Amino acid sequence: MKKFALLLCIAVLLSFAGFAFAQDEPGGHGGHVDPHARVYLEAAIDYNPSSSDVVVPSGQATLVGVAPVGNASDDFTADIINLPGDTINRVYVQTTLSINIENYGTTSADHVDITLKNYPTYGAKSHLYAFIKAKSGTQKYRPNEYHAFEANLTSPDLVSSDLTFTVDAPADFFTSNDVIIAETRTSSGGGDSGCNAGFAGLLLFAAVPLIYFRKKK
């Protein structure tokens, strides 16, 4: 009976561990959702690009139009944002643009490189991401959630710079969609991921019987 109970505890422990690791996987594609993360919607940068300031390489897709939006929409909430790392728990919006891209050609299941020219550099210069909400009926990314694509300033020491990012599986996000440029941070002052702590507690709980059986020997 004791052996059976011990085996049962081991099975439960392994199940919890496997579930925890599965949760840390991006669900095929995406990131880590932390419903306790803090999201600041107000735009920190005034960026009003023209169509010539948004560049998509010819042969990848066609830029139809771009319009400044400013603040992020109210639905840019922590419970549907796939953060780019398990420790990220702060998102600070820099600006939001409505971008319309069509004619993906042979790259519809591949990627589109997007460059924002003359992007102001007086805000954060690193840990920048373009967050885009996936549409319904997506092929690669979880639908109706925001996904992060790393964005990089090519000349961060200048007053303005090119900001570049690559969106893979563009058909999951365009033709027209809001692109939110935001800085991400890690803070120890709250907003930490609750799921990791919860799984840690479950693992410890499952391990208690193992400790008990060891002491009984």
mmCIF file of all heavy atoms in Angstrom, residues 145-175:
data_model
loop_
_atom_site.group_PDB
_atom_site.id
_atom_site.type_symbol
_atom_site.label_atom_id
_atom_site.label_comp_id
_atom_site.label_asym_id
_atom_site.label_seq_id
_atom_site.Cartn_x
_atom_site.Cartn_y
_atom_site.Cartn_z
ATOM 1 N N GLU A 145 -5.223 37.875 -29.274
ATOM 2 C CA GLU A 145 -4.250 38.209 -28.235
ATOM 3 C C GLU A 145 -3.130 39.030 -28.868
ATOM 4 O O GLU A 145 -2.879 38.951 -30.074
ATOM 5 C CB GLU A 145 -3.655 36.943 -27.603
ATOM 6 C CG GLU A 145 -4.646 36.116 -26.819
ATOM 7 C CD GLU A 145 -3.991 34.921 -26.128
ATOM 8 O OE1 GLU A 145 -2.739 34.842 -26.115
ATOM 9 O OE2 GLU A 145 -4.731 34.064 -25.612
ATOM 10 N N TYR A 146 -2.470 39.836 -28.043
ATOM 11 C CA TYR A 146 -1.347 40.641 -28.520
ATOM 12 C C TYR A 146 -0.054 39.825 -28.443
ATOM 13 O O TYR A 146 0.217 39.168 -27.436
ATOM 14 C CB TYR A 146 -1.203 41.912 -27.689
ATOM 15 C CG TYR A 146 -2.256 42.950 -27.988
ATOM 16 C CD1 TYR A 146 -3.450 42.977 -27.261
ATOM 17 C CD2 TYR A 146 -2.070 43.905 -28.990
ATOM 18 C CE1 TYR A 146 -4.424 43.927 -27.531
ATOM 19 C CE2 TYR A 146 -3.037 44.853 -29.266
ATOM 20 C CZ TYR A 146 -4.208 44.864 -28.533
ATOM 21 O OH TYR A 146 -5.173 45.803 -28.806
ATOM 22 N N HIS A 147 0.736 39.908 -29.506
ATOM 23 C CA HIS A 147 2.004 39.190 -29.573
ATOM 24 C C HIS A 147 3.134 40.189 -29.805
ATOM 25 O O HIS A 147 2.950 41.217 -30.462
ATOM 26 C CB HIS A 147 1.957 38.131 -30.674
ATOM 27 C CG HIS A 147 0.875 37.121 -30.458
ATOM 28 N ND1 HIS A 147 1.049 35.975 -29.703
ATOM 29 C CD2 HIS A 147 -0.421 37.103 -30.872
ATOM 30 C CE1 HIS A 147 -0.075 35.296 -29.672
ATOM 31 N NE2 HIS A 147 -0.983 35.946 -30.370
ATOM 32 N N ALA A 148 4.308 39.876 -29.254
ATOM 33 C CA ALA A 148 5.427 40.810 -29.234
ATOM 34 C C ALA A 148 6.473 40.456 -30.287
ATOM 35 O O ALA A 148 6.854 39.292 -30.425
ATOM 36 C CB ALA A 148 6.065 40.824 -27.849
ATOM 37 N N PHE A 149 6.936 41.487 -30.991
ATOM 38 C CA PHE A 149 8.019 41.340 -31.961
ATOM 39 C C PHE A 149 9.113 42.346 -31.598
ATOM 40 O O PHE A 149 8.850 43.547 -31.499
ATOM 41 C CB PHE A 149 7.500 41.582 -33.384
ATOM 42 C CG PHE A 149 6.381 40.656 -33.768
ATOM 43 C CD1 PHE A 149 5.056 41.021 -33.573
ATOM 44 C CD2 PHE A 149 6.658 39.399 -34.290
ATOM 45 C CE1 PHE A 149 4.024 40.158 -33.905
ATOM 46 C CE2 PHE A 149 5.625 38.522 -34.627
ATOM 47 C CZ PHE A 149 4.310 38.899 -34.434
ATOM 48 N N GLU A 150 10.308 41.835 -31.389
ATOM 49 C CA GLU A 150 11.405 42.681 -30.930
ATOM 50 C C GLU A 150 11.679 43.812 -31.920
ATOM 51 O O GLU A 150 11.761 43.599 -33.127
ATOM 52 C CB GLU A 150 12.670 41.855 -30.723
ATOM 53 C CG GLU A 150 13.818 42.647 -30.132
ATOM 54 C CD GLU A 150 15.039 41.785 -29.840
ATOM 55 O OE1 GLU A 150 15.030 40.600 -30.231
ATOM 56 O OE2 GLU A 150 15.993 42.297 -29.227
ATOM 57 N N ALA A 151 11.837 45.035 -31.383
ATOM 58 C CA ALA A 151 12.107 46.211 -32.208
ATOM 59 C C ALA A 151 13.441 46.820 -31.795
ATOM 60 O O ALA A 151 13.747 46.917 -30.601
ATOM 61 C CB ALA A 151 10.984 47.240 -32.059
ATOM 62 N N ASN A 152 14.219 47.248 -32.776
ATOM 63 C CA ASN A 152 15.565 47.761 -32.504
ATOM 64 C C ASN A 152 15.796 49.093 -33.197
ATOM 65 O O ASN A 152 15.442 49.271 -34.371
ATOM 66 C CB ASN A 152 16.626 46.762 -32.979
ATOM 67 C CG ASN A 152 16.574 45.456 -32.200
ATOM 68 O OD1 ASN A 152 16.935 45.408 -31.031
ATOM 69 N ND2 ASN A 152 16.091 44.402 -32.846
ATOM 70 N N LEU A 153 16.407 50.025 -32.463
ATOM 71 C CA LEU A 153 16.830 51.299 -33.026
ATOM 72 C C LEU A 153 18.190 51.102 -33.685
ATOM 73 O O LEU A 153 19.123 50.602 -33.060
ATOM 74 C CB LEU A 153 16.932 52.361 -31.930
ATOM 75 C CG LEU A 153 15.604 52.785 -31.273
ATOM 76 C CD1 LEU A 153 15.880 53.567 -30.004
ATOM 77 C CD2 LEU A 153 14.771 53.610 -32.247
ATOM 78 N N THR A 154 18.325 51.524 -34.929
ATOM 79 C CA THR A 154 19.600 51.335 -35.623
ATOM 80 C C THR A 154 20.635 52.380 -35.205
ATOM 81 O O THR A 154 21.836 52.117 -35.264
ATOM 82 C CB THR A 154 19.403 51.396 -37.145
ATOM 83 O OG1 THR A 154 18.810 52.652 -37.492
ATOM 84 C CG2 THR A 154 18.489 50.270 -37.611
ATOM 85 N N SER A 155 20.178 53.579 -34.781
ATOM 86 C CA SER A 155 21.101 54.648 -34.350
ATOM 87 C C SER A 155 20.563 55.293 -33.083
ATOM 88 O O SER A 155 20.085 56.441 -33.092
ATOM 89 C CB SER A 155 21.262 55.693 -35.456
ATOM 90 O OG SER A 155 21.718 55.117 -36.653
ATOM 91 N N PRO A 156 20.616 54.589 -31.960
ATOM 92 C CA PRO A 156 19.985 55.082 -30.729
ATOM 93 C C PRO A 156 20.603 56.353 -30.163
ATOM 94 O O PRO A 156 19.972 57.039 -29.350
ATOM 95 C CB PRO A 156 20.156 53.908 -29.758
ATOM 96 C CG PRO A 156 21.311 53.134 -30.293
ATOM 97 C CD PRO A 156 21.242 53.274 -31.770
ATOM 98 N N ASP A 157 21.825 56.695 -30.579
ATOM 99 C CA ASP A 157 22.490 57.881 -30.036
ATOM 100 C C ASP A 157 22.128 59.161 -30.782
ATOM 101 O O ASP A 157 22.511 60.251 -30.360
ATOM 102 C CB ASP A 157 24.015 57.689 -30.059
ATOM 103 C CG ASP A 157 24.466 56.559 -29.147
ATOM 104 O OD1 ASP A 157 23.787 56.335 -28.127
ATOM 105 O OD2 ASP A 157 25.471 55.898 -29.459
ATOM 106 N N LEU A 158 21.411 59.044 -31.877
ATOM 107 C CA LEU A 158 20.980 60.219 -32.625
ATOM 108 C C LEU A 158 19.614 60.696 -32.130
ATOM 109 O O LEU A 158 18.934 60.009 -31.350
ATOM 110 C CB LEU A 158 20.916 59.889 -34.116
ATOM 111 C CG LEU A 158 22.231 59.429 -34.767
ATOM 112 C CD1 LEU A 158 22.011 59.149 -36.248
ATOM 113 C CD2 LEU A 158 23.324 60.469 -34.569
ATOM 114 N N VAL A 159 19.215 61.878 -32.590
ATOM 115 C CA VAL A 159 17.927 62.446 -32.163
ATOM 116 C C VAL A 159 16.775 61.582 -32.673
ATOM 117 O O VAL A 159 15.753 61.417 -31.995
ATOM 118 C CB VAL A 159 17.786 63.894 -32.674
ATOM 119 C CG1 VAL A 159 16.398 64.439 -32.362
ATOM 120 C CG2 VAL A 159 18.869 64.772 -32.055
ATOM 121 N N SER A 160 16.925 61.044 -33.868
ATOM 122 C CA SER A 160 15.931 60.125 -34.424
ATOM 123 C C SER A 160 16.658 58.992 -35.124
ATOM 124 O O SER A 160 17.832 59.105 -35.472
ATOM 125 C CB SER A 160 14.985 60.838 -35.391
ATOM 126 O OG SER A 160 15.700 61.337 -36.507
ATOM 127 N N SER A 161 15.939 57.900 -35.320
ATOM 128 C CA SER A 161 16.587 56.691 -35.840
ATOM 129 C C SER A 161 15.560 55.843 -36.565
ATOM 130 O O SER A 161 14.343 56.050 -36.444
ATOM 131 C CB SER A 161 17.200 55.903 -34.675
ATOM 132 O OG SER A 161 17.592 54.603 -35.075
ATOM 133 N N ASP A 162 16.060 54.888 -37.329
ATOM 134 C CA ASP A 162 15.177 53.849 -37.857
ATOM 135 C C ASP A 162 14.854 52.874 -36.725
ATOM 136 O O ASP A 162 15.738 52.503 -35.946
ATOM 137 C CB ASP A 162 15.851 53.083 -38.996
ATOM 138 C CG ASP A 162 15.969 53.909 -40.267
ATOM 139 O OD1 ASP A 162 15.423 55.030 -40.298
ATOM 140 O OD2 ASP A 162 16.609 53.436 -41.216
ATOM 141 N N LEU A 163 13.596 52.492 -36.641
ATOM 142 C CA LEU A 163 13.181 51.443 -35.708
ATOM 143 C C LEU A 163 12.707 50.274 -36.557
ATOM 144 O O LEU A 163 11.781 50.413 -37.364
ATOM 145 C CB LEU A 163 12.063 51.929 -34.791
ATOM 146 C CG LEU A 163 11.557 50.912 -33.762
ATOM 147 C CD1 LEU A 163 12.587 50.721 -32.652
ATOM 148 C CD2 LEU A 163 10.220 51.340 -33.168
ATOM 149 N N THR A 164 13.329 49.122 -36.398
ATOM 150 C CA THR A 164 13.026 47.987 -37.261
ATOM 151 C C THR A 164 12.480 46.820 -36.453
ATOM 152 O O THR A 164 12.906 46.581 -35.323
ATOM 153 C CB THR A 164 14.279 47.520 -38.027
ATOM 154 O OG1 THR A 164 15.264 47.070 -37.091
ATOM 155 C CG2 THR A 164 14.862 48.661 -38.842
ATOM 156 N N PHE A 165 11.543 46.100 -37.020
ATOM 157 C CA PHE A 165 11.029 44.870 -36.419
ATOM 158 C C PHE A 165 10.500 43.967 -37.526
ATOM 159 O O PHE A 165 10.176 44.426 -38.623
ATOM 160 C CB PHE A 165 9.948 45.147 -35.371
ATOM 161 C CG PHE A 165 8.761 45.934 -35.859
ATOM 162 C CD1 PHE A 165 7.615 45.301 -36.316
ATOM 163 C CD2 PHE A 165 8.794 47.325 -35.847
ATOM 164 C CE1 PHE A 165 6.526 46.027 -36.755
ATOM 165 C CE2 PHE A 165 7.709 48.064 -36.292
ATOM 166 C CZ PHE A 165 6.573 47.418 -36.738
ATOM 167 N N THR A 166 10.446 42.684 -37.230
ATOM 168 C CA THR A 166 10.002 41.687 -38.206
ATOM 169 C C THR A 166 8.764 40.971 -37.676
ATOM 170 O O THR A 166 8.762 40.475 -36.544
ATOM 171 C CB THR A 166 11.116 40.655 -38.478
ATOM 172 O OG1 THR A 166 12.240 41.331 -39.056
ATOM 173 C CG2 THR A 166 10.634 39.581 -39.447
ATOM 174 N N VAL A 167 7.733 40.943 -38.483
ATOM 175 C CA VAL A 167 6.486 40.247 -38.131
ATOM 176 C C VAL A 167 6.421 38.970 -38.954
ATOM 177 O O VAL A 167 6.344 39.022 -40.189
ATOM 178 C CB VAL A 167 5.255 41.124 -38.428
ATOM 179 C CG1 VAL A 167 3.969 40.370 -38.075
ATOM 180 C CG2 VAL A 167 5.337 42.440 -37.666
ATOM 181 N N ASP A 168 6.507 37.828 -38.286
ATOM 182 C CA ASP A 168 6.340 36.584 -39.031
ATOM 183 C C ASP A 168 4.856 36.217 -39.068
ATOM 184 O O ASP A 168 4.075 36.693 -38.256
ATOM 185 C CB ASP A 168 7.199 35.452 -38.468
ATOM 186 C CG ASP A 168 6.839 35.094 -37.051
ATOM 187 O OD1 ASP A 168 6.460 35.996 -36.290
ATOM 188 O OD2 ASP A 168 6.945 33.907 -36.688
ATOM 189 N N ALA A 169 4.491 35.418 -40.055
ATOM 190 C CA ALA A 169 3.085 35.076 -40.307
ATOM 191 C C ALA A 169 2.234 36.340 -40.390
ATOM 192 O O ALA A 169 1.263 36.505 -39.648
ATOM 193 C CB ALA A 169 2.558 34.131 -39.233
ATOM 194 N N PRO A 170 2.561 37.260 -41.276
ATOM 195 C CA PRO A 170 1.829 38.539 -41.339
ATOM 196 C C PRO A 170 0.340 38.384 -41.608
ATOM 197 O O PRO A 170 -0.446 39.247 -41.220
ATOM 198 C CB PRO A 170 2.536 39.292 -42.473
ATOM 199 C CG PRO A 170 3.197 38.233 -43.292
ATOM 200 C CD PRO A 170 3.600 37.174 -42.333
ATOM 201 N N ALA A 171 -0.044 37.301 -42.253
ATOM 202 C CA ALA A 171 -1.469 37.093 -42.518
ATOM 203 C C ALA A 171 -2.270 36.918 -41.237
ATOM 204 O O ALA A 171 -3.490 37.085 -41.232
ATOM 205 C CB ALA A 171 -1.660 35.877 -43.428
ATOM 206 N N ASP A 172 -1.604 36.581 -40.128
ATOM 207 C CA ASP A 172 -2.288 36.469 -38.843
ATOM 208 C C ASP A 172 -2.618 37.841 -38.252
ATOM 209 O O ASP A 172 -3.413 37.922 -37.300
ATOM 210 C CB ASP A 172 -1.421 35.694 -37.842
ATOM 211 C CG ASP A 172 -1.472 34.189 -38.068
ATOM 212 O OD1 ASP A 172 -2.110 33.753 -39.044
ATOM 213 O OD2 ASP A 172 -0.862 33.448 -37.277
ATOM 214 N N PHE A 173 -2.019 38.918 -38.796
ATOM 215 C CA PHE A 173 -2.149 40.238 -38.180
ATOM 216 C C PHE A 173 -2.689 41.323 -39.112
ATOM 217 O O PHE A 173 -3.304 42.289 -38.649
ATOM 218 C CB PHE A 173 -0.782 40.686 -37.655
ATOM 219 C CG PHE A 173 -0.200 39.765 -36.626
ATOM 220 C CD1 PHE A 173 0.713 38.781 -36.990
ATOM 221 C CD2 PHE A 173 -0.584 39.847 -35.295
ATOM 222 C CE1 PHE A 173 1.243 37.921 -36.043
ATOM 223 C CE2 PHE A 173 -0.065 38.986 -34.350
ATOM 224 C CZ PHE A 173 0.852 38.014 -34.717
ATOM 225 N N PHE A 174 -2.464 41.207 -40.392
ATOM 226 C CA PHE A 174 -2.856 42.262 -41.323
ATOM 227 C C PHE A 174 -3.880 41.683 -42.298
ATOM 228 O O PHE A 174 -4.103 40.467 -42.333
ATOM 229 C CB PHE A 174 -1.599 42.768 -42.061
ATOM 230 C CG PHE A 174 -0.587 43.391 -41.129
ATOM 231 C CD1 PHE A 174 0.598 42.715 -40.825
ATOM 232 C CD2 PHE A 174 -0.831 44.620 -40.538
ATOM 233 C CE1 PHE A 174 1.528 43.279 -39.962
ATOM 234 C CE2 PHE A 174 0.102 45.184 -39.668
ATOM 235 C CZ PHE A 174 1.278 44.516 -39.381
ATOM 236 N N THR A 175 -4.673 42.582 -42.963
ATOM 237 C CA THR A 175 -4.183 43.753 -43.636
ATOM 238 C C THR A 175 -4.004 44.966 -42.709
ATOM 239 O O THR A 175 -2.897 45.474 -42.551
ATOM 240 C CB THR A 175 -5.125 44.118 -44.790
ATOM 241 O OG1 THR A 175 -6.472 44.259 -44.294
ATOM 242 C CG2 THR A 175 -5.160 43.013 -45.815
#
